[in-house]
Structures are given as C-alpha cells and as structure tokens.
C-alpha cells in the first residue's frame, strides 16, 4: 500500500507543479492500449492511462503519464506450465514533438519512468516507451508504441496501439 501512496503523491505533485506555471496550453487525455508482448510468456497486453500534457509551444510538449497495464500469462510451448500474468502501474514523463506547427498531426514521443508491479514481490522496473502517432485537432489521438520494462538484467515489453482522447484545460 505504501507504493501506491507514493505514486499518488508524486503524480499529484507533478500535476500541481505544471498547473502552477504559466503554460501556453495544457491537456488531459485518457487512453486505452492493446498490444502484443515480445516475450513468449505473455499472450496479450492491455492497459489504460491518463496523460497530462504541458505544451511548451505548438510543436513541443512535456507529457506525464500514469495508468495500469496487464500482461496476460500463457503456457510456454507444450510444457503444461502456465506463466503467471503480470500487472504494473507505469508512471512516465517525456517529450512529445509534432512535425508541423499546428500542434496536431504526426508526432514522435519518448517517455521514461518506473513500472510498479502490482503482485507481491514484483518490485519496480525501469520503463521506456518510444512512440509515433497522429493527433487530430478535435482531441482524438492514435499512436503506435513500444513499451519496455527492465529489471535486474532482464527485460520484457510489448508493441501496442494506443487510442486516446484529449481535453483542453
């Protein structure tokens, strides 16, 4: 329970910091992700997130993202051994760059952060997530991403499709 309290407190502090600045624009988005894991131990990746986006200018933004992702375990080969599912709470910050001057259209995104495992003893992983996408001026956002987790010399991840809707604040 202490980990969740730390995540909520950190997220609240970051959001409060951004709200207290004189920003050109601020957005809050909600998204869902579906993906294919890169490890044979998992069958599918599903997630949901909230993203606060602080616009530096029309082309450059600082996103802060938090949510929940679930990698469903599966049997590896025909061994009869089922690999357990894995859930984590990713908390990431990054840079989003639009390739035109309108603040919509094609963008590139890079985020880094921590993934807090939700199972007992799963610990915290380093999370990295590059993405490309297209954001429409009406708030709809469609992106393709890779999200990787690294911990203790091991790693896993997934390729995913994220569909989101953003609200201007």
């Amino acid at each position: 329970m202490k980990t969740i309290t730390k995540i909520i407190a950190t997220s609240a502090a970051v959001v409060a910091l951004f709200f207290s600045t004189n920003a050109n624009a601020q957005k809050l988005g909600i998204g869902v992700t579906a993906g294919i894991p890169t490890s044979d131990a998992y069958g599918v990746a599903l997630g949901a997130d909230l993203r606060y986006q602080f616009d530096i200018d029309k082309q450059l933004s600082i996103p802060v993202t938090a949510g929940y992702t679930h990698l469903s375990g599966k049997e590896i080969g025909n061994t009869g051994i089922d690999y357990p599912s894995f859930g984590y709470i990713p908390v990431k910050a990054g840079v989003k760059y639009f390739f035109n001057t309108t603040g919509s259209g094609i963008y590139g995104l890079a985020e880094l952060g921590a993934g807090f495992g939700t199972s007992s003893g799963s610990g915290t992983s380093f999370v990295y997530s590059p993405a490309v996408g297209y954001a429409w001026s009406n708030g709809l956002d469609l992106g393709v991403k890779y999200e990787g987790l690294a911990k203790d010399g091991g790693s896993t991840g997934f390729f995913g499709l994220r569909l989101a809707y953003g609200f201007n604040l």
Side-chain angles (χ1 to χ4, degrees):
M1 199 62 169
K2 291 180 183 179
T3 301
I4 291 175
T5 304
K6 289 178 189 176
I7 293 168
I8 292 170
T10 302
S11 299
V14 168
V15 170
L17 173 70
F18 284 127
F19 274 113
S20 67
T21 62
N22 260 339
N24 293 335
Q26 301 167 14
K27 297 177 184 115
L28 182 65
I30 184 167
V32 293
T33 302
I36 299 169
T38 57
S39 169
D40 289 338
Y42 303 108
V44 67
L46 297 173
D49 62 58
L50 288 174
R51 178 177 288 158
Y52 174 78
Q53 185 172 302
F54 169 79
D55 293 342
I56 304 296
D57 60 30
K58 287 199 179 264
Q59 285 185 279
L60 185 64
S61 306
I62 306 296
V64 177
T65 308
Y68 177 77
T69 302
H70 179 83
L71 301 173
S72 63
K74 69 175 191 176
E75 181 182 358
I76 300 174
N78 291 325
T79 62
I81 300 171
D82 289 329
Y83 204 82
S85 295
F86 176 68
Y88 66 98
I89 298 168
V91 178
K92 307 173 286 187
V95 176
K96 186 176 187 179
Y97 180 78
F98 286 94
F99 292 102
N100 65 42
T101 58
T102 65
S104 60
I106 298 172
Y107 64 84
L109 170 70
E111 294 180 296
L112 301 173
F116 302 93
T118 58
S119 301
S120 178
S122 58
T124 304
S125 301
F126 172 69
V127 175
Y128 53 98
S129 184
V132 293
Y134 193 93
W136 286 266
S137 58
N138 66 2
L140 192 61
D141 186 323
L142 183 64
V144 177
K145 71 177 193 170
Y146 175 78
E147 184 156 298
L149 293 103
K151 180 182 173 192
D152 299 332
S155 65
T156 192
F158 68 91
F159 288 96
L161 184 65
R162 180 179 184 268
L163 179 61
Y165 186 78
F167 305 91
N168 289 323
L169 299 177

